[in-house]
């Protein structure tokens, strides 16, 4: 059974249909790269998966559980959205760290708020702290845990944002152009962390403009154009032998940039 199944996902803003029937599935441990020009619907797709936008039609299922079916009003209740969102972690283009908190406090904030809501914080406090410390070790920032965001480089802030998503144990980790706000020399450190997660069989959806990275790290690639999936398949096959003319045009532009 796929860990994620997306069927006929559609989203319209005003008169503009941004998603025009998106269908794909993802197996546990797979990394999916989503590529395409600006305005092709990539970010809207991620926002729909994370329940930051509500699709107009279609369905989303994780591990066989239908989280959203636009034809079934019972799956659209706002009271359920927060729980459903926990299946996904989202790392934004901009790091969105809280400037008043240390890096460690930023990572611990979501599990702390959730535990306090459930009156379990005193029980899980030490476990959450230890897990956060281990995540900082994994992302190579053990010596920066007590720094504030303004004391960190852009690459370091993005790595903290990745740890913040991981500590919630999402089934699927989503990245929305995770290096677009970084200087080229800082891009590599973030991509190395994502590559490491891929090697640990973390299930990921990565919207990226880093074509070489998309080809080398992902198990599957989707090329989106005009709100549709124009082509999908094995990254090496799609990149070396694209079948659709629009895919050829897009990849040719990148190869000459």
């Amino acid at each position: 059974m796929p860990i994620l199944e997306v069927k006929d996902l559609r989203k319209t803003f005003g008169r503009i249909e941004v998603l025009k029937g998106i269908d794909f599935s993802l197996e546990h441990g797979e990394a999916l790269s989503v590529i395409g020009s600006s305005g092709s619907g990539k970010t809207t797709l991620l926002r729909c998966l994370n329940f930051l936008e509500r699709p107009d039609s279609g369905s989303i299922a994780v591990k066989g559980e239908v989280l959203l079916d636009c034809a079934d009003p019972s799956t659209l209740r706002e009271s359920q959205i927060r729980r459903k969102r926990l299946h996904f972690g989202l790392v934004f283009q901009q790091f969105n760290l809280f400037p008043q908190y240390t890096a460690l406090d930023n990572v611990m904030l979501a599990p702390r708020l959730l535990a306090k809501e459930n009156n379990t914080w005193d029980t899980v406090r030490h476990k959450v702290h230890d897990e956060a410390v281990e995540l900082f070790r994994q992302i190579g920032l053990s010596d920066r845990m007590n720094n504030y965001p303004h004391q960190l480089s852009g690459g370091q802030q993005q790595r903290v944002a990745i740890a913040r998503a991981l500590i919630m144990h999402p089934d699927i980790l989503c990245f929305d152009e995770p290096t677009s706000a970084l200087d080229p020399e800082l891009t590599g450190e973030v991509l190395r962390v994502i590559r490491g997660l891929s090697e640990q069989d973390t299930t990921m959806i990565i919207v990226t403009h880093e074509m070489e990275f998309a080809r080398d790290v992902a198990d599957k690639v989707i090329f989106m154009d005009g709100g549709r999936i124009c082509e999908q398949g094995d990254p090496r096959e799609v990149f070396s032998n694209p079948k659709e003319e629009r895919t050829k045009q897009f990849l040719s532009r990148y190869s000459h940039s």
Side-chain angles (χ1 to χ4, degrees), residues 113-137:
L113 292 176
L114 187 63
K116 284 192 171 183
E117 188 175 284
N118 296 325
N119 296 314
T120 59
W121 179 237
D122 289 339
T123 304
V124 303
R125 180 198 302 263
H126 295 297
K127 179 184 176 183
V128 171
H129 177 271
D130 291 347
E131 187 172 353
V133 169
E134 172 59 19
L135 284 170
F136 274 95
R137 186 196 66 78

Side-chain angles (χ1 to χ4, degrees), residues 133-145 152 156 159-160 163 189 193:
V133 169
E134 172 59 19
L135 284 170
F136 274 95
R137 186 196 66 78
Q138 291 179 23
I139 64 173
L141 289 177
S142 293
D143 59 340
R144 294 288 188 268
M145 288 189 302
L152 302 173
Q156 290 169 339
R159 282 187 278 165
V160 172
E189 62 188 57
V193 171

Side-chain angles (χ1 to χ4, degrees), residues 175-246:
F175 295 88
D176 185 12
E177 299 279 14
T179 61
S180 65
L182 301 178
D183 295 333
E185 65 182 65
L186 299 177
T187 294
E189 62 188 57
V190 173
L191 295 183
R192 279 192 294 275
V193 171
I194 300 174
R195 190 183 298 272
L197 292 172
S198 177
E199 292 169 354
Q200 297 171 28
D201 291 331
T202 304
T203 308
M204 295 185 289
I205 300 174
I206 309 163
V207 169
T208 182
H209 62 276
E210 301 284 346
M211 294 299 113
E212 184 177 350
F213 182 77
R215 181 192 64 207
D216 294 343
V217 170
D219 301 291
K220 183 187 299 182
V221 65
I222 282 175
F223 169 61
M224 290 185 64
D225 183 59
R228 294 185 174 90
I229 293 178
C230 186
E231 190 161 350
Q232 63 179 305
D234 179 271
R236 285 163 184 78
E237 179 65 21
V238 171
F239 276 86
S240 64
N241 188 31
K243 294 180 174 58
E244 301 297 326
E245 185 60 34
R246 183 66 189 92

Side-chain angles (χ1 to χ4, degrees), residues 9 14 30 49 53 58 88 157 177 184 196 213-215 226 234 246:
L9 211 62
E30 278 190 329
L49 291 177
E53 299 286 354
F88 297 88
Q157 290 187 60
E177 299 279 14
F213 182 77
R215 181 192 64 207
D234 179 271
R246 183 66 189 92

